[in-house]
Amino acid sequence: MSTRKPSSSPAPGSVGEYLRAQGISRRGFLKFCTATASMMALSPAFVPRLVEALEKAPRPSVIWLSFQECTGCTESLTRSHAPTVEGLIFDAISLDYHHTLQAASGEAAELAREEAMKENWGKYVLVVDGSIPLGNPGFSTIAGISNVDMLMDTAKGAAAIVSVGTCAAYGGLPQADPNPTGAVSVQDLIKDKPIINVPGCPPIPVVITGVLAHFLAFGLPELDELNRPKVFYGQNIHDRCYRRPFYERGQFAETFDDEGAKKGWCLYKLGCKGPTTYNACATTKWNQGASFPIESGHGCLGCSEPRFWDGGSFYKALSVPTGDLGQTAGYALAAGGAVGIAAGLLARQKKAQAVKDHETVTVNDLHKGEHS
Ligand code: FSX
């Protein structure tokens, strides 16, 4: 355990000071840090480090751009209950510009963006939701500026970019065949900045804010091969699913209203994409941890994976023999695609390494927490 006690006075201008000024008590702040650490799957020994880091972290300037999307990502974040971990951390950032949430519009809004960029050059976090149309940049413009021009201009002075939602991370629904607008993702365009992908259609709100909290406290999180933070996307739904015992016993619902469905059996044969989907739904859940789609009787659609809209029918079973899934920690394979044994083995090895990496990071972090 750490012997270092967190300081009782947060640094001026810090996240900690801001939260105190908002009436968040010391006890409330510690509770918030404990909940955040638990959300990041960190041990309680990590909490003092988080408290100290957040008390010192300067409130970052955040510029949030929304392009081709359905506003589900912002809805996800703002529809959370209050006061919450996500509400607290959302308040603790200095959200200088957000197309959907800000009161200003037109030229005044653009002036706010330019000022925030100038004042915080090199330090602000750029959050993007939605994909960017290249086929005809005029398809989507804000104050007469095309999405691609606004993204490239705003990215120049950003410390890091967080792509919120599957549209910003991979192209998402707008990019689905036949991709009429020529939609691309943020990482297709920006190559010289750190990019954190927070996919999901929409993403889990506490995951959005958890990524921001991690960035504030410790900097960039460790990312997987799709630039997703391993702390939230390190395990697949199948491996954490509470219906897994039914899978292991070969008990599958065949229709949505048969006896198996009523008994809560595995939804694999009804098209659940849990085995190929990496996200925190099965552990973090939604709506204050109330439930998640599989718990409500519907299979996972795989919304945090690239091209999930085009990856095969939502209601068609994965073309992976059920026996092959039993002992795997999940496949990194395309939903609905033909899968060979060699590909399965390779994916298994890859996943095993990813899990190992994640454990190493956590253990190392705790180690630092104990001795720094
Ligand atoms: Fe896409 Fe988000 Fe799905 Fe919608 O901003 S990830 S369509 S929930 O709104 O971008």
Side-chain angles (χ1 to χ4, degrees):
M1 287 288 289
S2 170
T3 50
R4 187 177 53 187
K5 290 222 168 23
S7 65
S8 55
S9 320
S14 66
V15 171
E17 186 192 56
Y18 181 78
L19 291 176
R20 297 280 182 86
Q22 297 301 303
I24 307 299
S25 65
R26 172 86 184 152
R27 190 187 158 95
F29 183 58
L30 290 174
K31 212 169 142 190
F32 159 71
C33 290
T34 305
T36 305
S38 136
M39 190 174 68
M40 293 179 193
L42 301 173
S43 138
F46 206 77
V47 174
R49 272 189 71 197
L50 185 61
V51 170
E52 192 163 341
L54 280 181
E55 284 195 326
K56 286 183 183 158
R59 285 183 71 207
S61 167
V62 172
I63 296 177
W64 186 311
L65 303 177
S66 295
F67 298 139
Q68 285 193 133
E69 40 79 35
C70 75
T71 318
C73 300
T74 297
E75 287 283 330
S76 173
L77 190 61
T78 56
R79 291 303 161 111
S80 51
H81 52 284
T84 59
V85 170
E86 57 268 38
L88 284 175
I89 198 69
F90 193 48
D91 286 345
I93 62 176
S94 171
L95 194 58
D96 289 316
Y97 182 93
H98 189 301
H99 286 148
T100 314
L101 301 179
Q102 68 197 0
S105 62
E107 285 175 8
E110 289 320 297
L111 201 61
R113 178 176 66 90
E114 284 160 19
E115 277 175 9
M117 285 173 62
K118 207 158 47 175
E119 278 169 28
N120 302 287
W121 189 259
K123 290 183 288 191
Y124 58 85
V125 178
L126 172 58
V127 180
V128 180
D129 64 21
S131 64
I132 304 99
L134 293 186
N136 176 352
F139 278 146
S140 179
T141 63
I142 296 154
I145 305 168
S146 72
N147 289 171
V148 63
D149 285 349
M150 187 173 283
L151 173 65
M152 300 314 274
D153 182 52
T154 315
K156 279 184 206 152
I161 302 175
V162 182
S163 296
V164 166
T166 295
C167 298
Y170 313 131
L173 179 60
Q175 198 187 55
D177 289 338
N179 190 2
T181 66
V184 296
S185 68
V186 172
Q187 65 188 4
D188 286 332
L189 293 169
I190 310 283
K191 304 291 181 190
D192 60 348
K193 296 281 175 183
I195 294 179
I196 308 169
N197 282 335
V198 187
C201 190
I204 302 170
V206 292
V207 169
I208 302 173
T209 48
V211 168
L212 291 174
H214 191 290
F215 184 75
L216 281 178
F218 310 120
L220 284 173
E222 193 182 356
L223 305 176
D224 69 9
E225 68 277 10
L226 294 174
N227 285 336
R228 300 177 294 197
K230 286 184 180 178
V231 287
F232 300 112
Y233 296 89
Q235 287 181 303
N236 74 16
I237 305 290
H238 183 60
D239 288 344
R240 303 298 242 149
C241 181
Y242 76 102
R243 294 190 190 224
R244 179 69 176 259
F246 295 110
Y247 173 88
E248 302 293 349
R249 291 199 290 269
Q251 293 174 310
F252 300 100
E254 305 278 345
T255 69
F256 282 107
D257 59 356
D258 68 6
E259 272 311 296
K262 285 173 191 157
K263 288 176 178 163
W265 289 0
C266 176
L267 301 169
Y268 170 85
K269 291 189 178 176
L270 293 173
C272 180
K273 304 299 183 291
T276 57
T277 303
Y278 289 76
N279 206 339
C281 300
T283 44
T284 303
K285 301 191 180 178
W286 290 74
N287 301 322
Q288 292 178 263
S291 187
F292 73 114
I294 291 171
E295 202 168 338
S296 307
H298 195 285
C300 165
L301 299 180
C303 77
S304 57
E305 298 299 320
R307 301 191 66 77
F308 85 98
W309 292 102
D310 291 325
S313 166
F314 288 152
Y315 299 103
K316 190 175 160 203
L318 287 166
S319 55
V320 183
T322 53
D324 278 6
L325 292 174
Q327 299 306 314
T328 65
Y331 286 7
L333 46 83
V339 180
I341 292 170
L345 284 173
L346 199 68
R348 238 177 275 186
Q349 285 165 356
K350 203 169 171 189
K351 172 62 189 168
Q353 186 59 45
V355 170
K356 196 165 152 244
D357 287 346
H358 176 57
E359 285 171 359
T360 306
V361 171
T362 307
V363 171
N364 283 347
D365 283 345
L366 292 175
H367 190 67
K368 277 186 227 153
E370 286 167 6
H371 300 291
S372 56

